């Protein structure tokens, strides 16, 4: 029997701890109050092969067996890290090399439907900052500890002129993109926000009007709205919580996660965030839809009720969106992301432990577009050269891109025109004679 786990405030949390530990065969939680060495402790027990635990009635504890169908995460990743450190002396995670002031302008990224169809990318400089890659003008690849902003014009601050940040006015519109979080487990957080850009003062930026389109990893997702000085805001998605509170439960771990019924996070998936307005053009809701090629079911969530200090937070955010907010992408790792992926008191969250050491060096975003609500999307990203590797492996190994490559081949053979392309992003030509199901 292992040493007991402290600060476990419910039987559900204790059960989840057991479900996350591959060696756990049974669990016991200290239910009785004010008993040293028992109260709010979780005891995990290993069982020999074929051993069946003896059933006893004790009012001061609750015991049980791990479910064979529920998966919790964090322990296995921690074991893998410890095993590699023991074997090789370190873990294969890159150390941020820093971003110099003259390395902040990274090139152009395609964003269909905005301005001339592209934006510049400005990376936040600093001695501990991670790099951000813009690949083939379509893929945005943040490394650990990085932050970058969309800009209409990027100029190096050392020249005395800072970047001119992009202001996306999204009232009545949908922003779409594809994200790839594969490998990013408990303790990793890939974020895409709309902010009143203030990269020289992150605390100010965080406390201003803010829309978090995405905060997440393979196991958890959060979309949030924040008005000025409201750090907590309102949120939707799945995951989070600690001993005395529960996080988001709009979806489940069966819906969203590796091998998920709706979103299999071991593969890329599409995100659409819509900002609906009333008859006066004022925002009345934000809707989030996650979908994936090959999956019949989508995940949907809506935020339309937000009060802060007696005021309507949705209407307040509407004014900020009317002026325009700047997309900001970041990727980080931490050992205290319980707000995002924690178990919660009900034990229904995904992660029993955050393991930042196991976070992959990069995540990916691509296929950005802005369009009126209800227009069908998303736009497809086409490789310029499928024979060249991207992210260390041919991107055509992704199901989405394999299909697009096959469609392109069919169109070539039929002598039909290829999908029209602007800045590397194309939509299928509706005049084509070929129908692909």
């Amino acid at each position: 029997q292992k040493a007991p786990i402290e600060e476990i405030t419910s039987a559900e949390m204790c059960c989840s701890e057991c479900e996350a530990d591959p060696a756990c065969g049974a669990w016991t939680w200290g239910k009785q109050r004010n008993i040293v060495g028992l109260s709010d402790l979780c005891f995990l027990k290993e069982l020999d092969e074929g051993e069946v635990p003896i059933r006893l009635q004790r009012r001061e504890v609750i015991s049980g067996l791990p479910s064979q169908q529920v998966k919790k995460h964090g322990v296995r990743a921690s074991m893998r890290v410890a095993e590699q450190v023991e074997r090789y002396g370190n873990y294969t995670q890159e150390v941020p090399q820093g971003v110099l002031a003259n390395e902040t302008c990274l090139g152009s990224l395609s964003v269909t439907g905005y301005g001339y169809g592209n934006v510049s990318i400005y990376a936040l400089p600093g001695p501990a900052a991670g790099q951000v890659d813009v690949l083939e003008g379509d893929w945005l690849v943040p490394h650990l500890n990085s932050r970058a902003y969309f800009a209409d014009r990027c100029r190096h601050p050392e020249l005395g002129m800072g970047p001119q940040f992009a202001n996306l006015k999204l009232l009545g519109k949908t922003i779409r993109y594809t994200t790839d979080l594969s490998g990013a487990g408990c303790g990793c957080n890939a974020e895409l926000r709309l902010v009143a850009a203030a990269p020289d003062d992150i605390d100010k930026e965080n406390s201003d009007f803010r829309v978090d389109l995405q905060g997440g990893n393979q196991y958890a997702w959060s979309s949030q709205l924040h008005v000025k000085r409201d750090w907590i805001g309102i949120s939707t998605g799945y995951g989070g919580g600690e001993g005395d509170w529960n996080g988001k439960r709009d979806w489940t771990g069966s819906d969203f996660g590796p091998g998920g019924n709706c979103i299999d996070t071991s593969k890329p998936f599409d995100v659409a965030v819509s900002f609906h307005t009333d008859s006066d053009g004022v925002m009345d809701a934000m809707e989030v839809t996650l979908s994936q090629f090959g999956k019949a079911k989508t995940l949907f969530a809506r935020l339309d009720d937000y009060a802060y200090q007696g005021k309507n937070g949705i209407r307040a955010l509407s004014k900020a969106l009317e002026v325009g907010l700047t997309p900001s992408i970041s990727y980080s790792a931490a050992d205290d992301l319980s707000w995002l992926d924690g178990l919660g008191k009900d034990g229904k969250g995904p992660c029993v432990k955050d393991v930042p050491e196991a976070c992959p060096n990069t995540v990916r975003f691509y296929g950005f577009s802005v369009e009126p609500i209800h227009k069908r999307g998303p736009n497809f990203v086409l490789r310029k050269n499928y024979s060249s590797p991207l992210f260390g492996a041919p991107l055509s190994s992704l199901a989405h891109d394999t299909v697009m490559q096959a469609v392109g081949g069919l169109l070539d053979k039929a002598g039909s025109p290829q999908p029209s392309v602007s800045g590397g992003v194309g939509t299928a030509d509706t005049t084509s004679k070929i129908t692909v199901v």
Side-chain angles (χ1 to χ4, degrees):
Q1 178 174 299
K2 299 181 178 181
I5 304 172
E6 300 179 353
E7 298 180 4
I8 302 299
T9 58
S10 70
E12 291 82 2
M13 287 186 71
C14 187
C15 179
S16 294
E17 292 280 353
C18 183
E19 289 165 343
D21 191 331
C24 181
W27 56 272
T28 297
W29 175 63
K31 173 184 175 183
Q32 191 73 32
R33 301 294 84 198
N34 303 317
I35 298 180
V36 176
L38 180 66
S39 299
D40 289 341
L41 294 180
C42 179
F43 302 85
L44 304 185
K45 305 174 183 178
E46 296 184 15
L47 300 178
D48 294 331
E49 185 175 352
E51 180 183 0
V52 178
I54 301 173
R55 296 176 64 92
L56 297 174
Q57 289 218 355
R58 295 181 59 187
R59 289 183 294 179
E60 65 271 20
V61 299
I62 298 176
S63 298
L65 303 176
S67 168
Q68 300 301 312
Q69 298 177 337
V70 177
K71 296 180 180 179
K72 300 297 175 181
H73 310 281
V75 173
R76 287 177 175 83
S78 180
M79 293 169 64
R80 286 196 299 269
V81 170
E83 181 181 351
Q84 181 157 333
V85 169
E86 182 179 354
R87 181 176 298 181
Y88 302 109
N90 60 9
Y91 192 73
T92 55
Q93 194 175 64
E94 68 182 18
V95 177
Q97 300 299 309
V99 175
L100 300 176
N102 63 355
E103 298 175 328
T104 54
C105 294
L106 305 179
S108 177
L109 178 76
S110 179
V111 181
T112 302
Y114 174 75
Y116 293 103
N118 56 67
V119 296
S120 297
I121 298 299
Y122 170 81
L124 189 67
Q131 300 287 326
V132 178
D133 298 325
V134 181
L135 304 177
E136 296 190 356
D138 289 315
W139 281 267
L140 188 57
V141 185
H143 293 238
L144 275 171
N145 204 37
S146 65
R147 182 180 296 273
Y149 297 82
F150 286 21
D152 289 330
R153 182 180 298 176
C154 190
R155 296 169 290 193
H156 297 302
E158 65 176 9
L159 300 178
M161 299 178 293
Q164 180 180 329
F165 293 113
N167 279 330
L168 271 65
K169 300 179 180 181
L170 294 174
L171 288 179
K173 295 183 179 180
T174 297
I175 180 170
R176 297 180 185 272
Y177 61 95
T178 301
T179 185
D180 183 358
L181 305 177
S182 53
C186 302
C188 315
N189 186 19
E191 292 187 301
L192 173 53
R193 297 173 165 184
L194 302 176
V195 300
D200 56 334
D201 189 346
I202 295 299
D203 285 341
K204 178 181 182 299
E205 181 176 286
N206 287 338
S207 64
D208 209 331
F209 291 107
R210 195 176 90 228
V211 178
D212 295 355
L213 305 178
Q214 164 186 334
N217 54 44
Q218 277 198 131
Y219 305 118
W221 181 275
S222 177
S223 295
Q224 303 182 15
L225 297 176
H226 301 262
V227 297
K228 228 171 200 178
R229 292 181 291 278
D230 182 12
W231 289 71
I232 298 176
I234 60 170
S235 60
T236 188
Y238 168 65
E242 291 185 302
D244 58 350
W245 61 280
N246 297 319
K248 301 161 290 297
R249 300 292 186 266
D250 301 282
W251 312 322
T252 69
S254 297
D255 298 327
F256 180 92
N261 297 328
C262 302
I263 301 297
D264 178 358
T265 55
S266 64
K267 302 174 182 177
F269 58 93
D270 298 322
V271 183
V273 183
S274 302
F275 298 88
H276 290 265
T277 59
D278 59 19
S279 57
D280 296 323
V282 178
M283 184 171 90
D284 57 10
M286 181 179 84
E287 293 183 349
V288 181
T289 304
L290 308 186
S291 59
Q292 190 170 47
F293 179 82
K295 294 288 187 180
K297 297 180 179 178
T298 62
L299 291 180
F300 174 82
R302 178 182 172 95
L303 292 174
D304 57 10
D305 186 10
Y306 180 18
Y308 178 69
Q309 295 184 344
K311 297 181 180 179
N312 186 321
I314 300 288
R315 296 186 72 88
L317 272 165
S318 182
K319 295 179 180 179
L321 284 164
E322 184 177 9
V323 173
L325 294 174
T326 302
S328 168
I329 277 183
S330 65
Y331 178 44
S332 59
D335 59 6
D336 57 352
L337 286 183
S338 58
W339 66 270
L340 174 65
D341 58 21
L343 276 180
K345 187 173 183 178
D346 61 4
K348 293 183 179 179
C351 294
V352 301
K353 183 178 185 179
D354 286 324
V355 191
E357 302 88 352
C359 292
N361 294 323
T362 62
V363 292
R364 313 168 192 173
F365 297 84
Y366 58 96
F368 289 95
S369 69
V370 175
E371 59 198 32
I373 289 177
H374 304 310
K375 178 183 176 183
R376 296 299 297 174
N379 294 309
F380 293 112
V381 174
L382 301 178
R383 288 294 314 279
K384 274 72 172 177
N385 181 0
Y386 276 97
S387 64
S388 66
L390 192 61
F391 320 118
L395 191 67
S396 55
S397 64
L398 304 180
H400 172 283
D401 299 276
T402 301
V403 170
M404 288 309 299
Q405 185 181 8
V407 170
L410 285 172
L411 292 174
D412 279 341
K413 291 179 181 179
S416 301
Q418 284 281 0
S420 58
V421 175
S422 174
V425 176
T427 54
D429 188 339
T430 57
T431 64
S432 173
K433 304 289 186 181
I434 299 292
T435 301
V436 180
V437 179

